[in-house]
Amino acid sequence: MTEFGTYGEDRTETTTLPLMSLREVVMFPRSIVPLFVGREASIKAIESAIADHGKEILLVAQREPEMEKPGQGDLFEVGTVSKVLQLLRLPDGTIKVLFEGMYRAYWAPESPQSFDDDQDFPKAVIARIEDNDYAGAEAEALMRACHEALDEYSKINKKLAQETLLAITSITYPGKLADAIMPHLKVDYRKKQEVLELQDAIVRLEKVYELLQGEIAITSMEKRIKNRVKNQMERNQKEYYLNEQIKAINKEMGRDDDPQEELNELEQTLKAKDMPDEARDKALRELKKLRAMPSSSAEYTVIRNYVDWIIELPWNKLGETTIDIEKARTILDADHFGLEKPKERILEYLAVQKLATKLKGPILCLVGPPGVGKTSLAKSIARATNREFVRLSLGGVRDEAEIRGHRRTYVGALPGKIIQSLKRVEFNNPLFCLDEIDKMSTDFRGDPSAALLEVLDPEQNNSFNDHYLDLDYDLSQVFFITTANSLHSIPLPLQDRMEIIRLPGYLETEKRRIGREFLLPKQVGQHGIKDTNVQLSDNALVDIIRHYTREAGVRNLEREIASICRKVAMKMVESDDLEKLVTVSRQNLGNFLGVKKFRYGERETLPQVGVTTGLAWTELGGELLLVETAIMPGGGKVSITGKLGEVMTESAKAALSYVRSRSGMFGLKPDFHKEIDIHVHVPEGATPKDGPSAGITLCTSMVSALLSIPVRNDVAMTGEITLRGRVLPIGGLREKLLAAHRGLITTVIIPKDNEKDLKEVPADILKGLKIIPVEHVDEVLPVALMAEHDKIYSNGEDCTVLTRSLRMDSLPEGEAHTTPQ
């Protein structure tokens, strides 16, 4: 035997025993533990203990449980000498052994003589560690505390049997109590090893008490968690059972879908969708209401539709737009001839958008007569900017709810047309065409134009509030384009929010090119014929424009060309010749289109007294406007006929007042108007006429009739007149000059202030016209009246009448004064 050094104060003589290492298990004295042993060295150590050492064996815990063959330094220094009580060999080669701890033992792993691993199993030279177990007041108090803690622990840990608890509480020594409690605590093996190595009983029991309190806290928390999980599982099982019942009920009632499952899917979709937090939170609140009400409820359908609308709207979904200026210019030029200003504005917008990081959507208003291509231009802009095209016709809309939607309290409520269209297009940055914005009306249901104020305001439409959604919706990414035939019916606040771009009616020269280059190829393709089957002469095309259509646009021109194509197709089918060529000329045009429908304004064949050619603007383009004046004996009555509006009637009165104020210059008696009746008439009496631009025309006609001087038939004029004879500017000069050119007029008198507008008139029209700008009527009469007469005006205010003047005192008594024809 070998004597070890001191381990505490009690150290006995040593002995040699087989050693078996334990994985994550610490054996304590006076505890009985069953272990399954599978390692070969451990089995041989147990067999040696039974055969040669009185069934005694040293059980020591490994420092690292993963090691298969631990070495001398891989084991703890203190273990427990145990006795093999029972051994059972299992079929798989392992054995089940029942050990009983006897006493603590120390072995010195630092000593080479204390560990022998040359044989099949290790042997260790050990020394018994005697317990210095004693009783006292401190020990008694500590034991009572441990008993109470153990009793509390047994209440939450049902695995601790009652007989085991009674056996432990009967122990009267602190060291033995500590050793009895430790095997029942679920603590880490390292902490158990620490307790095993403590020789002082009081210290050991304090450590056990500390671990016991920690285990009580952990076990209590574990129990609460288990109860919570159990309740949750019970609730889940209950919900599963109820859901299965609901599914069965739905199946019996012919319903394929489970409402709750649908709501779960809606919730997942809402959480995943890119939308403002305000909209998502509101939709989730509405979903919460849905879960609490039966699906058969009428309110359920209302809320469900509302949630569907929120989900399906493209809140932050933007379509990819391309900005290619050359491509956009090519598309716009290919789709529309002319319209240079609108095209230029669109290209400017695209250029700025390409440079700017964020640009508020522009609000453009295309104003022009029907058929000039406003809506089709909006489509071309959408194609040029690669945006989705949405068209909303506002013609006849008189309900504000069409724009802002109905509140959900109404039966069958829906969002407004703006929100509906965005849902349909699935992107939040389309091109939105609000067509016929001037055709809206107002009644007791509200003013839709007022509702559009928010939509068409770039400063406000980022928070457009639809009554149905009751949420702010961002419309700032939408490219709004509105169309109108005229501005007078659009409220001024709404006009102020839009950029007005006027689309004038097409000139005859433009119509010819559009008909030749756009409409004819289009209709030829639509009617199944080829370009080689029809030959339309230029003269025939001009006659179609002049005698079969009267419009500012080209819709009727396209219809007439389509009619010709149908006739050509009929001839090809009747002759069974698909290569047949049909020629359409001015001579045979009537065979295709019938008799002429319209006559265009042409100048008078001869100069006549009192007949003056004026120029008028209509929505269909420019027209020649003849003004006739007749002088008759009478009492000063003035008649103005021709269905003239108030402004034109006032212009006639102003012209007459000017003539009366200049009576001395014209060689007329100051009171000449009291002895005659003056009748001013504008032909085509069924057509309403209005506007101030016929002022100088009316004045020239009156002067011609009063002085019996014919008016040149190749001169046309336009301009407003004042009482002093000043000539004021007018509008529609481009269309009026076209009418003059078409009517074979050679000289046109215009106001001086309109001279700047000549830049917008095509050069081929100006080429055949002599334009005379004037500032006063005194400049008009020498040009308009026949040249074979002497000058009307001489120096200053002196006026010499070279023809028979209209002097009442020079007429024979009873002779009626009439205007020579």
Side-chain angles (χ1 to χ4, degrees), residues 485-646:
N485 295 131
S486 61
L487 290 176
H488 70 272
S489 59
I490 303 178
L492 289 178
L494 190 55
Q495 290 186 39
D496 185 60
R497 283 163 168 79
M498 302 183 292
E499 182 176 345
I500 307 299
I501 298 179
R502 296 185 181 274
L503 275 67
Y506 290 113
L507 302 177
E508 185 177 296
T509 54
E510 294 174 335
K511 288 183 180 180
R512 289 204 300 267
R513 288 194 58 181
I514 292 172
R516 177 69 63 190
E517 299 176 11
F518 291 88
L519 302 183
L520 183 59
K522 176 182 176 183
Q523 293 302 320
V524 164
Q526 290 183 355
H527 287 80
I529 59 179
K530 303 176 183 177
D531 295 336
T532 55
N533 295 131
V534 58
Q535 182 177 353
L536 181 64
S537 68
D538 289 338
N539 290 334
L541 185 57
V542 169
D543 273 13
I544 295 174
I545 295 171
R546 291 182 176 179
H547 299 294
Y548 292 90
T549 64
R550 178 169 288 178
E551 58 179 346
V554 290
R555 283 201 184 113
N556 288 324
L557 177 59
E558 184 174 9
R559 293 189 186 102
E560 299 301 330
I561 292 177
S563 180
I564 292 175
C565 291
R566 290 196 298 272
K567 297 291 193 302
V568 172
M570 178 69 76
K571 291 180 181 293
M572 291 170 58
V573 174
E574 287 176 346
S575 63
D576 198 17
D577 183 6
L578 298 181
E579 302 300 328
K580 183 179 181 65
L581 174 61
V582 179
T583 301
V584 183
S585 63
R586 175 174 286 175
Q587 288 73 26
N588 66 354
L589 184 60
N591 298 332
F592 292 89
L593 300 180
V595 298
K596 296 180 179 179
K597 301 177 183 177
F598 304 103
R599 58 177 293 273
Y600 69 95
E602 295 182 353
R603 71 180 190 180
E604 293 291 318
T605 55
L606 295 172
Q608 298 188 44
V609 173
V611 179
T612 308
T613 305
L615 297 174
W617 177 90
T618 68
E619 291 186 353
L620 305 179
E623 292 287 343
L624 294 184
L625 185 71
L626 295 180
V627 176
E628 302 174 347
T629 301
I631 305 297
M632 301 160 289
K637 180 179 179 183
V638 178
S639 299
I640 303 172
T641 58
K643 202 172 184 181
L644 308 184
E646 290 185 7

Side-chain angles (χ1 to χ4, degrees), residues 313-315 419 422 428 461-464 471-475:
L313 284 175
W315 293 91
I419 298 298
L422 290 175
N428 202 31
N461 62 8
N462 60 345
S463 57
F464 171 68
L471 293 167
D472 289 342
Y473 195 92
D474 187 2
L475 298 177

Side-chain angles (χ1 to χ4, degrees), residues 111-132:
S111 175
Q113 294 80 19
S114 66
F115 190 86
D116 186 3
D117 57 357
D118 293 337
Q119 300 180 3
D120 295 336
F121 58 91
K123 292 183 179 180
V125 179
I126 65 170
R128 178 170 180 168
I129 301 174
E130 297 294 341
D131 286 344
N132 53 356

Side-chain angles (χ1 to χ4, degrees), residues 42-61:
S42 299
I43 293 175
K44 288 183 178 180
I46 293 172
E47 291 175 346
S48 175
I50 294 174
D52 304 325
H53 298 87
K55 298 183 179 182
E56 292 186 1
I57 188 171
L58 177 64
L59 301 182
V60 182

Side-chain angles (χ1 to χ4, degrees), residues 75-110:
L75 303 175
F76 287 105
E77 299 176 356
V78 177
T80 302
V81 174
S82 303
K83 187 173 184 178
V84 178
L85 297 181
Q86 195 175 39
L87 185 146
L88 177 63
R89 297 186 182 274
L90 301 176
D92 60 354
T94 61
I95 60 175
K96 181 180 180 182
V97 185
L98 187 65
F99 292 103
E100 179 184 8
M102 299 174 64
Y103 55 87
R104 285 177 177 78
Y106 173 81
W107 66 283
E110 70 277 1

Side-chain angles (χ1 to χ4, degrees), residues 245-257 259 295-296:
Q245 284 186 325
I246 291 174
K247 289 180 181 179
I249 293 171
N250 289 331
K251 188 174 181 180
E252 288 294 326
M253 298 181 68
R255 300 174 185 165
D256 295 331
D257 299 328
S295 58
S296 58

Side-chain angles (χ1 to χ4, degrees), residues 133-135 139 143 147 168 170-179 201 205:
D133 215 348
Y134 60 90
M143 290 177 64
H147 287 156
I168 294 174
S170 63
I171 298 175
T172 57
Y173 290 95
K176 294 179 181 179
L177 180 61
D179 292 341
L205 189 58

